[in-house]
Amino acid sequence: MDEKKQRVFDCCIFACLVIFVVVVPEAEGRAFFVFGDSLVDNGNNNYLLTTARADSYPYGIDYPTHRATGRFSNGLNIPDIISERIGSEPTLPYLSPELNGERLLVGANFASAGIGILNDTGIQFINIIRISRQLQYFEQYQQRVSALIGVEQTQRLINQALVLITLGGNDFVNNYYLVPFSARSRQFALPDYVVYLISEYRKILVRLYELGARRVLVTGTGPLGCVPAELAQHSRNGECAADLQRASDLFNPQLVQLVNQLNSQIGSNIFISANAFQSNMDFISNPQAYGFVTSKVACCGQGPYNGIGLCTPASNLCPNRDLYAFWDPFHPSERANRLIVETFMIGDTKYMNPMNLSTIMHLDSTT
């Protein structure tokens, strides 16, 4: 072979090798499953008769299609950004008719806005997918995938998947503190209510493990008293609502304790606790350091702090969503979600226990 042909041949071999290296990891990307509430719902509630919906303008204004998708965000939400960071396609809502065939192998999002740890949380939203039903759908999903690739391969797909679960905030905001003298607040003092929530959450996490989940990211609640909706109702000078902050302060450490106990009993780091409270407080307490003009006023809303009612076409709407930590009265903007996911990916033990998501990805790629 002459020198010119040899160079062409070498280039072709090199190109093939490069293509092989780039394509294979994508083809073998791990599945991703999402459970929880409106912080992680990406459209299941669009298919339900419920008031807990984000399917109209201006939701989705910064989404690639510039249309509302059911995500409670101006653009991407936390699961979207995690999918982006781990090199997977975004998961579809489990109720989406598009979730079939090979698309099932990417995973699924079972989350539903308004739900909590308890079945009586969010009853005002009527028709939502409570966590027990989300877990039933996960079983149904596995049956559907087994018909596609067989039981053994399905078990491997589930065992190797990443799972995200986000619960707890609504059990305070849309239950215990929903109205003065709520049924749960008359039944429990706050510390006892938190103990009860943790005992119920334990059953949910154990069930996830029984269903094959082996890498589960468990997020604590954010600073519930600092969202614009709570500032609008309870704050005189922009300070966070004390009762809801106390609820977060009680709940989150006990959730970390639960995660550690479960891992110890199983003998493996199945569950990873993510300190969403701290991830949010970083930019809430010092918004300018993170490029925000405010962490008190929502981009979309009305009334004090744009924190009253829902985000609708009639609401005030900020021109630049990247400058606002909160998109609507309860939910972070896409840019804030990116900061939160960054702490999940590379945060130290202040944020992630016992390890961050980058470490998990590295460990799992070598075993």
Side-chain angles (χ1 to χ4, degrees):
M1 193 183 291
D2 63 41
E3 190 178 339
K4 186 176 179 183
K5 285 181 180 175
Q6 181 66 47
R7 281 203 306 272
V8 170
F9 178 77
D10 289 347
C11 286
C12 289
I13 291 292
F14 177 72
C16 290
L17 285 170
V18 169
I19 290 167
F20 178 77
V21 168
V22 171
V23 171
V24 167
E26 290 183 358
E28 293 182 358
R30 72 199 303 171
F32 183 33
F33 300 102
V34 182
F35 301 86
D37 56 28
S38 61
L39 290 167
V40 293
D41 181 358
N42 67 350
N44 280 309
N45 281 21
N46 289 359
Y47 302 96
L48 304 171
L49 287 170
T50 177
T51 54
R53 296 166 75 107
D55 59 345
S56 59
Y57 179 87
Y59 284 96
I61 190 170
D62 299 309
Y63 192 74
T65 60
H66 304 293
R67 292 185 177 179
T69 60
R71 292 162 173 82
F72 285 75
S73 172
N74 58 300
L76 302 184
N77 66 6
I78 285 169
D80 293 323
I81 299 162
I82 291 176
S83 292
E84 199 178 83
R85 294 297 298 268
I86 67 174
S88 297
E89 290 178 45
T91 54
L92 286 169
Y94 187 66
L95 298 185
S96 169
E98 295 174 28
L99 185 66
N100 52 47
E102 288 204 358
R103 298 194 79 167
L104 284 162
L105 306 184
V106 173
N109 186 315
F110 302 93
S112 177
I115 72 126
I117 295 165
L118 305 181
N119 280 334
D120 57 292
T121 290
I123 52 171
Q124 70 273 28
F125 302 125
I126 305 167
N127 189 19
I128 50 181
I129 313 168
R130 307 196 184 284
I131 190 62
S132 54
R133 186 70 174 140
Q134 291 184 29
L135 294 171
Q136 287 168 6
Y137 278 148
F138 190 34
E139 289 184 80
Q140 186 183 82
Y141 165 90
Q142 294 186 36
Q143 291 162 6
R144 291 173 66 188
V145 174
S146 293
L148 200 67
I149 61 173
V151 174
E152 195 175 315
Q153 290 280 18
T154 299
Q155 194 60 51
R156 183 189 296 177
L157 181 139
I158 301 298
N159 290 163
Q160 293 178 351
L162 179 66
V163 177
L164 171 68
I165 185 164
T166 296
L167 289 173
N170 283 325
D171 294 287
F172 298 105
V173 174
N174 282 308
N175 192 330
Y176 195 86
Y177 289 112
L178 179 63
V179 291
F181 310 109
S182 67
R184 288 297 191 185
S185 68
R186 281 179 282 132
Q187 181 185 7
F188 292 106
L190 181 63
D192 298 327
Y193 182 62
V194 169
V195 169
Y196 176 57
L197 287 180
I198 294 294
S199 69
E200 291 299 302
Y201 207 164
R202 180 189 181 87
K203 296 171 189 174
I204 294 162
L205 295 180
V206 167
R207 185 66 186 136
L208 261 181
Y209 178 75
E210 290 171 352
L211 291 170
R214 294 296 179 267
R215 283 293 193 202
V216 185
L217 193 60
V218 183
T219 70
T221 72
L224 300 173
C226 301
V227 301
E230 299 305 329
L231 297 184
Q233 293 178 64
H234 304 296
S235 182
R236 290 184 178 181
N237 301 304
E239 75 282 1
C240 300
D243 283 351
L244 280 158
Q245 288 298 88
R246 182 167 171 249
S248 299
D249 288 343
L250 287 169
F251 178 83
N252 287 322
Q254 290 184 49
L255 183 59
V256 173
Q257 197 175 13
L258 170 62
V259 162
N260 291 339
Q261 285 171 353
L262 288 172
N263 286 341
S264 178
Q265 287 166 12
I266 294 166
S268 179
N269 290 323
I270 304 294
F271 300 100
I272 314 294
S273 60
N275 187 347
F277 184 95
Q278 189 60 52
S279 301
N280 280 268
M281 277 312 291
D282 286 348
F283 59 76
I284 286 174
S285 57
N286 191 359
Q288 285 73 27
Y290 293 85
F292 297 118
V293 294
T294 178
S295 60
K296 298 184 188 301
V297 180
C299 168
C300 182
Q302 45 279 313
Y305 304 100
N306 278 344
I308 301 293
L310 303 171
C311 171
T312 71
S315 298
N316 301 319
L317 180 66
C318 69
N320 185 349
R321 274 69 64 182
D322 284 349
L323 298 180
Y324 285 70
F326 283 96
W327 155 245
D328 71 8
F330 285 102
H331 303 96
S333 62
E334 176 183 325
R335 186 154 167 276
N337 282 332
R338 288 189 176 279
L339 292 171
I340 293 164
V341 172
E342 187 68 11
T343 65
F344 293 176
M345 293 301 300
I346 63 170
D348 59 21
T349 51
K350 176 181 175 184
Y351 299 94
M352 302 295 293
N353 179 58
M355 66 189 115
N356 61 37
L357 198 42
S358 294
T359 304
I360 291 168
M361 299 301 292
H362 176 71
L363 280 175
D364 292 352
S365 70
T366 58
T367 55

